Amino acid sequence: MLVKWIRCTVVDRRGFERGQRKWAGLLGEPGFRGQGGGWSRRRPDVAHVFSFWESRAFYDSFMARAHDRLAASQAGTFKDAQVKLFDHRFDVKTGFEPGFADADVARVAHCRVHEERVEHFALMQEKVWNPAMAGSPGMLRGLFGEAPGHEFLVLSLWHSAAEHGKYRTERVERLGLRAQTEADIAAMSGDVVALEPAWTV
């Protein structure tokens, strides 16, 4: 599965939200699996959108045909768009499905990893972080994705912001030490996204 992550700064909120609903036109596109997103809880003018495709071939075909028509309604409503594509490497918890209806927030972490530490980083994700996240109350499902250039995406969906906050304060520092995360990571950014039900396709 291919994961597309878009982050942008919105300059016309109403226009952007109106345009976001037009992406319902993705339904019926060959290989499309789902889309959702919302607003950054830290920076209210930043929007995140996540979309999921069965394969790169289906995604490329959509980009060549229908993308520009669907995107036209949002022209001029945002700036500084950053788009990244990741290949799904493994699930966090069980059987990731790109559905957003039961989730209140998404947590996204984007890591650039030192080349010689890539395998260690992926192993720690599987052996240390995944079990801890999967065992946390309120964590619904997630995925670990990889992009060229030793870049990784960890996307997790949570029942509520409070439950995600509790996991962070209770466990993240301890887990980071155990996984030697600082030695693996060259750069990391992340956000907590308040999901907008109207954006779910």
Side-chain angles (χ1 to χ4, degrees), residues 14-29 32 35 49 62 66-75 77 197-201:
R14 281 185 62 189
F16 183 86
E17 291 203 301
R18 219 173 21 247
Q20 198 56 43
R21 287 194 279 276
K22 295 268 199 290
W23 289 98
L26 284 165
L27 288 171
E29 279 291 328
F32 173 71
Q35 180 166 290
V49 178
F62 161 72
H67 173 270
D68 291 0
R69 177 174 49 79
L70 289 172
S73 57
Q74 275 177 314
T77 64
W199 299 10
T200 298
V201 181

Side-chain angles (χ1 to χ4, degrees), residues 18-130:
R18 219 173 21 247
Q20 198 56 43
R21 287 194 279 276
K22 295 268 199 290
W23 289 98
L26 284 165
L27 288 171
E29 279 291 328
F32 173 71
R33 296 279 307 277
Q35 180 166 290
W39 299 102
S40 165
R41 287 176 59 91
R42 283 200 291 262
R43 293 187 46 208
D45 59 338
V46 170
H48 295 265
V49 178
F50 308 96
S51 67
F52 303 87
W53 296 82
E54 265 169 47
S55 70
R56 181 67 190 250
F58 280 123
Y59 170 74
D60 286 343
S61 164
F62 161 72
M63 290 301 288
R65 291 177 300 98
H67 173 270
D68 291 0
R69 177 174 49 79
L70 289 172
S73 57
Q74 275 177 314
T77 64
F78 63 89
K79 61 179 186 179
D80 305 330
Q82 294 170 293
V83 179
K84 294 220 170 263
L85 299 173
F86 297 87
D87 284 312
H88 172 276
R89 189 154 159 182
F90 50 76
D91 291 340
V92 179
K93 213 165 177 174
T94 53
F96 182 83
E97 280 299 319
F100 293 84
D102 54 348
D104 188 38
V105 296
R107 160 74 181 152
V108 58
H110 175 225
C111 307
R112 195 170 292 109
V113 175
H114 297 296
E115 186 174 356
E116 70 282 4
R117 303 283 297 189
V118 163
E119 284 315 309
H120 179 265
F121 178 75
L123 185 70
M124 290 300 102
Q125 188 63 44
E126 216 166 349
K127 301 278 186 260
V128 176
W129 291 102
N130 278 14

Side-chain angles (χ1 to χ4, degrees), residues 113-187:
V113 175
H114 297 296
E115 186 174 356
E116 70 282 4
R117 303 283 297 189
V118 163
E119 284 315 309
H120 179 265
F121 178 75
L123 185 70
M124 290 300 102
Q125 188 63 44
E126 216 166 349
K127 301 278 186 260
V128 176
W129 291 102
N130 278 14
M133 238 192 286
S136 294
M139 191 277 185
L140 300 168
R141 58 192 165 279
L143 63 80
F144 181 72
E146 183 173 4
H150 326 301
E151 287 189 47
F152 295 89
L153 176 81
V154 184
L155 176 65
S156 53
L157 300 178
W158 295 76
H159 199 262
S160 75
E163 284 162 327
H164 173 259
K166 201 161 179 283
Y167 162 75
R168 274 197 72 151
T169 48
E170 285 176 3
R171 313 191 64 174
V172 165
E173 197 176 327
R174 193 176 77 245
L175 291 166
L177 289 169
R178 206 172 121 206
Q180 303 172 338
T181 304
E182 273 190 18
D184 291 347
I185 288 177

